[in-house]
Amino acid sequence: MPYRSAGMGYADVANHFRARIKSGELAPGDALPSVAEIRNQFDVAAKTVSRALGVLKSEGLVTSRGSLGTVVAKSPLVITGTDRLDRMSRNGRRYAPGETSSGHRVMRRSVHDADVCKALDLEPGDEAVIRIRVFRQDGRPTSIGVSVYPPHTVNAVPELAEDERMIRQFDALYTERTGREVTKGQRAGHVRHASQDELDALEIDAPPHAAVPVMVVTVTFHDDENALGYWEDVYAPGSRVPMSE
Protein backbone atom coordinates (compact mmCIF):
# COMPACT_ATOMS: atom_id res chain seq x y z
CA MET A 1 0.00 0.00 0.00
CA PRO A 2 1.60 3.34 -1.03
CA TYR A 3 2.60 5.66 1.77
CA ARG A 4 5.03 8.43 2.56
CA SER A 5 7.10 8.94 5.65
CA ALA A 6 9.85 11.40 6.42
CA GLY A 7 13.28 9.94 6.79
CA MET A 8 12.75 6.77 4.74
CA GLY A 9 16.03 5.02 3.98
CA TYR A 10 17.04 2.28 1.57
CA ALA A 11 16.59 -0.38 4.27
CA ASP A 12 12.98 0.72 4.78
CA VAL A 13 12.27 0.52 1.06
CA ALA A 14 13.91 -2.89 0.80
CA ASN A 15 11.97 -4.17 3.82
CA HIS A 16 8.66 -3.05 2.28
CA PHE A 17 9.18 -5.11 -0.87
CA ARG A 18 10.82 -7.99 1.01
CA ALA A 19 7.69 -8.30 3.15
CA ARG A 20 5.42 -8.28 0.09
CA ILE A 21 7.51 -10.98 -1.57
CA LYS A 22 7.65 -13.08 1.58
CA SER A 23 3.87 -12.84 2.05
CA GLY A 24 3.18 -13.90 -1.54
CA GLU A 25 1.63 -10.57 -2.53
CA LEU A 26 4.36 -10.30 -5.16
CA ALA A 27 4.88 -13.56 -7.05
CA PRO A 28 7.88 -14.72 -9.09
CA GLY A 29 7.86 -12.84 -12.39
CA ASP A 30 5.87 -9.88 -11.05
CA ALA A 31 7.44 -6.54 -11.86
CA LEU A 32 8.30 -4.10 -9.12
CA PRO A 33 7.31 -0.46 -9.66
CA SER A 34 9.73 1.63 -11.70
CA VAL A 35 12.46 3.60 -9.98
CA ALA A 36 10.44 6.78 -10.54
CA GLU A 37 7.33 5.21 -9.02
CA ILE A 38 9.25 3.96 -5.98
CA ARG A 39 10.82 7.39 -5.53
CA ASN A 40 7.39 8.99 -5.56
CA GLN A 41 5.87 6.32 -3.27
CA PHE A 42 8.50 6.69 -0.56
CA ASP A 43 9.65 10.26 -1.27
CA VAL A 44 13.29 9.20 -1.57
CA ALA A 45 16.17 9.84 -3.94
CA ALA A 46 17.05 7.64 -6.91
CA LYS A 47 20.22 6.56 -5.11
CA THR A 48 18.13 5.28 -2.19
CA VAL A 49 15.97 3.22 -4.56
CA SER A 50 19.05 1.83 -6.27
CA ARG A 51 20.56 0.73 -2.94
CA ALA A 52 17.28 -0.88 -1.87
CA LEU A 53 16.99 -2.85 -5.10
CA GLY A 54 20.65 -3.84 -4.76
CA VAL A 55 19.93 -5.32 -1.34
CA LEU A 56 16.99 -7.33 -2.69
CA LYS A 57 19.10 -8.58 -5.60
CA SER A 58 21.91 -9.65 -3.24
CA GLU A 59 19.32 -11.66 -1.28
CA GLY A 60 18.16 -13.39 -4.45
CA LEU A 61 14.64 -11.97 -4.13
CA VAL A 62 14.59 -9.89 -7.32
CA THR A 63 16.44 -9.79 -10.61
CA SER A 64 16.80 -7.42 -13.57
CA ARG A 65 14.89 -8.36 -16.72
CA GLY A 66 15.83 -5.77 -19.32
CA SER A 67 12.79 -3.88 -20.56
CA LEU A 68 10.67 -5.47 -17.82
CA GLY A 69 12.74 -3.70 -15.20
CA THR A 70 13.15 -5.39 -11.81
CA VAL A 71 11.05 -8.52 -11.29
CA VAL A 72 10.57 -10.95 -8.43
CA ALA A 73 12.83 -13.98 -8.70
CA LYS A 74 11.95 -17.50 -7.67
CA SER A 75 12.39 -17.12 -3.95
CA PRO A 76 15.25 -19.11 -2.39
CA LEU A 77 13.59 -18.75 1.02
CA VAL A 78 11.59 -21.48 2.75
CA ILE A 79 9.45 -19.98 5.50
CA THR A 80 8.45 -21.47 8.85
CA GLY A 81 5.02 -22.57 9.99
CA THR A 82 4.56 -19.45 12.11
CA ASP A 83 5.37 -17.31 9.07
CA ARG A 84 2.55 -19.13 7.29
CA LEU A 85 0.19 -18.10 10.08
CA ASP A 86 1.32 -14.50 9.70
CA ARG A 87 0.86 -14.68 5.93
CA MET A 88 -2.65 -16.10 6.24
CA SER A 89 -3.69 -13.43 8.73
CA ARG A 90 -2.30 -10.79 6.41
CA ASN A 91 -3.69 -11.87 3.05
CA GLY A 92 -5.41 -15.24 3.47
CA ARG A 93 -2.81 -17.10 1.37
CA ARG A 94 -1.85 -20.51 2.66
CA TYR A 95 0.86 -21.11 0.06
CA ALA A 96 3.43 -19.00 -1.72
CA PRO A 97 3.40 -18.97 -5.53
CA GLY A 98 4.58 -22.35 -6.78
CA GLU A 99 4.24 -23.92 -3.34
CA THR A 100 2.14 -27.00 -2.57
CA SER A 101 2.04 -29.68 0.09
CA SER A 102 1.71 -33.46 0.05
CA GLY A 103 1.91 -36.48 2.33
CA HIS A 104 -0.70 -35.18 4.76
CA ARG A 105 -1.11 -37.50 7.72
CA VAL A 106 -3.11 -37.17 10.94
CA MET A 107 -2.70 -39.65 13.80
CA ARG A 108 -3.23 -40.14 17.51
CA ARG A 109 -0.06 -41.35 19.17
CA SER A 110 1.51 -41.74 22.59
CA VAL A 111 4.19 -39.09 22.92
CA HIS A 112 7.60 -40.06 24.31
CA ASP A 113 9.84 -37.37 22.83
CA ALA A 114 11.29 -35.50 25.81
CA ASP A 115 11.29 -32.09 24.10
CA VAL A 116 7.66 -32.39 23.01
CA CYS A 117 6.54 -33.63 26.44
CA LYS A 118 8.31 -30.72 28.13
CA ALA A 119 6.89 -28.16 25.70
CA LEU A 120 3.30 -29.40 26.08
CA ASP A 121 3.42 -30.36 29.77
CA LEU A 122 2.73 -34.01 28.91
CA GLU A 123 3.84 -37.12 30.71
CA PRO A 124 5.70 -39.69 28.57
CA GLY A 125 3.07 -41.96 27.05
CA ASP A 126 0.29 -39.34 27.05
CA GLU A 127 -1.72 -39.26 23.85
CA ALA A 128 -1.65 -36.36 21.41
CA VAL A 129 -2.77 -35.63 17.87
CA ILE A 130 0.08 -35.35 15.38
CA ARG A 131 -0.28 -33.75 11.96
CA ILE A 132 2.45 -34.12 9.31
CA ARG A 133 2.80 -32.66 5.83
CA VAL A 134 5.60 -32.10 3.28
CA PHE A 135 5.90 -28.67 1.69
CA ARG A 136 7.09 -28.41 -1.90
CA GLN A 137 8.31 -25.60 -4.11
CA ASP A 138 7.81 -26.23 -7.82
CA GLY A 139 7.37 -29.92 -7.01
CA ARG A 140 10.59 -30.22 -4.98
CA PRO A 141 10.27 -31.07 -1.26
CA THR A 142 11.66 -28.25 0.87
CA SER A 143 10.49 -28.95 4.40
CA ILE A 144 8.45 -31.21 6.64
CA GLY A 145 5.89 -29.64 8.96
CA VAL A 146 5.01 -31.53 12.14
CA SER A 147 2.44 -30.21 14.62
CA VAL A 148 1.50 -31.86 17.92
CA TYR A 149 -1.63 -30.99 19.91
CA PRO A 150 -2.56 -32.10 23.45
CA PRO A 151 -6.09 -33.30 24.28
CA HIS A 152 -7.39 -29.96 25.64
CA THR A 153 -6.54 -28.24 22.35
CA VAL A 154 -8.20 -30.97 20.31
CA ASN A 155 -11.29 -30.77 22.52
CA ALA A 156 -11.66 -27.11 21.55
CA VAL A 157 -10.71 -27.67 17.89
CA PRO A 158 -11.78 -31.23 17.00
CA GLU A 159 -10.95 -30.58 13.35
CA LEU A 160 -7.32 -31.14 14.31
CA ALA A 161 -8.01 -34.86 14.70
CA GLU A 162 -9.75 -35.18 11.34
CA ASP A 163 -7.77 -36.74 8.51
CA GLU A 164 -8.09 -33.81 6.13
CA ARG A 165 -6.51 -30.45 5.54
CA MET A 166 -7.51 -27.63 7.85
CA ILE A 167 -9.46 -24.88 6.13
CA ARG A 168 -8.72 -22.38 8.91
CA GLN A 169 -5.75 -22.16 11.22
CA PHE A 170 -6.10 -23.70 14.65
CA ASP A 171 -5.22 -20.52 16.58
CA ALA A 172 -8.08 -18.55 15.06
CA LEU A 173 -10.54 -21.38 15.74
CA TYR A 174 -9.30 -21.82 19.30
CA THR A 175 -9.66 -18.12 20.12
CA GLU A 176 -13.08 -17.96 18.48
CA ARG A 177 -14.38 -20.87 20.53
CA THR A 178 -12.71 -20.24 23.89
CA GLY A 179 -12.25 -16.49 23.94
CA ARG A 180 -8.58 -17.01 24.82
CA GLU A 181 -5.82 -15.40 22.84
CA VAL A 182 -3.17 -17.68 21.37
CA THR A 183 0.42 -16.49 21.59
CA LYS A 184 3.52 -17.85 19.89
CA GLY A 185 6.56 -18.67 21.95
CA GLN A 186 10.17 -18.10 20.96
CA ARG A 187 11.21 -19.85 17.79
CA ALA A 188 14.41 -21.84 18.21
CA GLY A 189 16.56 -23.62 15.67
CA HIS A 190 19.05 -26.45 15.90
CA VAL A 191 20.80 -28.91 13.62
CA ARG A 192 20.59 -32.69 13.96
CA HIS A 193 20.83 -35.76 11.79
CA ALA A 194 17.78 -36.65 9.72
CA SER A 195 15.86 -39.82 10.41
CA GLN A 196 15.23 -42.27 7.61
CA ASP A 197 11.58 -41.23 7.50
CA GLU A 198 12.66 -37.62 7.03
CA LEU A 199 15.12 -38.56 4.30
CA ASP A 200 12.35 -40.44 2.50
CA ALA A 201 9.91 -37.54 2.83
CA LEU A 202 12.49 -35.05 1.53
CA GLU A 203 13.41 -37.48 -1.28
CA ILE A 204 17.06 -37.60 -0.27
CA ASP A 205 18.87 -40.67 -1.54
CA ALA A 206 21.65 -41.14 1.00
CA PRO A 207 23.90 -44.16 1.48
CA PRO A 208 22.91 -46.48 4.33
CA HIS A 209 23.92 -45.17 7.74
CA ALA A 210 24.92 -41.80 6.25
CA ALA A 211 24.57 -38.86 8.63
CA VAL A 212 22.61 -36.16 6.79
CA PRO A 213 22.27 -32.88 8.74
CA VAL A 214 18.97 -31.00 8.67
CA MET A 215 17.94 -27.74 10.29
CA VAL A 216 14.96 -27.89 12.64
CA VAL A 217 12.95 -24.88 13.86
CA THR A 218 10.50 -25.32 16.74
CA VAL A 219 7.88 -23.16 18.43
CA THR A 220 5.22 -23.72 21.10
CA PHE A 221 1.83 -22.00 21.23
CA HIS A 222 0.11 -21.03 24.50
CA ASP A 223 -2.97 -19.39 25.93
CA ASP A 224 -3.00 -17.80 29.38
CA GLU A 225 -3.16 -21.20 31.10
CA ASN A 226 -1.81 -24.02 28.93
CA ALA A 227 0.52 -25.01 26.16
CA LEU A 228 -1.65 -25.58 23.09
CA GLY A 229 0.59 -26.91 20.35
CA TYR A 230 4.14 -27.72 19.38
CA TRP A 231 5.31 -27.13 15.79
CA GLU A 232 8.47 -28.43 14.20
CA ASP A 233 9.77 -27.57 10.72
CA VAL A 234 12.47 -29.84 9.27
CA TYR A 235 14.31 -28.34 6.32
CA ALA A 236 16.00 -30.08 3.43
CA PRO A 237 19.79 -29.55 3.26
CA GLY A 238 20.60 -26.33 1.44
CA SER A 239 17.35 -24.58 2.36
CA ARG A 240 17.54 -20.88 3.20
CA VAL A 241 15.25 -19.93 6.07
CA PRO A 242 14.58 -16.26 6.91
CA MET A 243 15.29 -15.41 10.54
CA SER A 244 13.11 -13.15 12.70
CA GLU A 245 13.99 -9.49 12.63
Side-chain angles (χ1 to χ4, degrees):
M1 179 177 180
Y3 63 89
R4 291 174 180 270
S5 177
M8 279 285 177
Y10 77 92
D12 300 299
V13 177
N15 187 59
H16 171 80
F17 289 107
R18 184 187 297 112
R20 294 190 64 195
I21 294 169
K22 183 177 175 181
S23 70
E25 293 176 35
L26 288 173
D30 285 352
L32 268 62
S34 67
V35 171
E37 290 170 332
I38 297 175
R39 286 188 62 192
N40 181 63
Q41 178 176 343
F42 293 93
D43 195 14
V44 295
K47 182 178 179 180
T48 300
V49 177
S50 178
R51 290 188 69 186
L53 295 179
V55 169
L56 297 175
K57 288 176 183 176
S58 71
E59 295 175 354
L61 298 178
V62 302
T63 186
S64 297
R65 288 284 177 84
S67 60
L68 295 178
T70 302
V71 301
V72 179
K74 286 190 176 182
S75 177
L77 302 180
V78 184
I79 67 172
T80 66
T82 53
D83 286 326
R84 295 178 196 282
L85 285 181
D86 294 339
R87 182 168 62 196
M88 284 198 68
S89 64
R90 180 175 178 178
N91 58 29
R93 300 184 183 186
R94 183 180 298 272
Y95 299 110
E99 186 180 45
T100 58
S101 61
S102 63
H104 289 248
R105 289 185 289 158
V106 180
M107 62 198 81
R108 290 184 183 268
R109 291 288 188 274
S110 297
V111 178
H112 294 276
D113 184 283
D115 291 334
V116 178
C117 288
K118 181 179 180 180
L120 297 179
D121 296 323
L122 297 174
E123 293 294 328
D126 283 353
E127 186 179 83
V129 168
I130 303 172
R131 300 178 65 91
I132 302 174
R133 77 291 277 163
V134 178
F135 291 99
R136 296 174 174 271
Q137 184 67 38
D138 299 323
R140 179 178 60 85
T142 55
S143 66
I144 304 167
V146 180
S147 51
V148 186
Y149 302 97
H152 55 264
T153 306
V154 179
N155 288 340
V157 188
E159 294 94 329
L160 290 168
E162 297 174 2
D163 193 10
E164 57 187 44
R165 299 185 187 187
M166 297 280 290
I167 297 175
R168 295 177 60 194
Q169 294 291 352
F170 96 95
D171 58 334
L173 291 171
Y174 185 87
T175 297
E176 181 181 290
R177 294 169 184 175
T178 67
R180 295 177 176 175
E181 182 180 356
V182 178
T183 59
K184 298 187 290 285
Q186 175 64 53
R187 281 185 287 187
H190 64 279
V191 177
R192 61 166 169 76
H193 293 152
S195 68
Q196 187 58 53
D197 285 345
E198 290 166 343
L199 294 175
D200 293 340
L202 294 172
E203 299 177 5
I204 297 173
D205 185 14
H209 310 298
V212 179
V214 289
M215 185 169 75
V216 181
V217 176
T218 63
V219 65
T220 304
F221 296 83
H222 306 261
D223 65 8
D224 55 355
E225 293 185 357
N226 299 295
L228 301 176
Y230 173 90
W231 285 16
E232 181 175 281
D233 295 292
V234 182
Y235 295 91
S239 296
R240 293 179 60 188
V241 183
M243 296 290 102
S244 299
E245 289 79 4

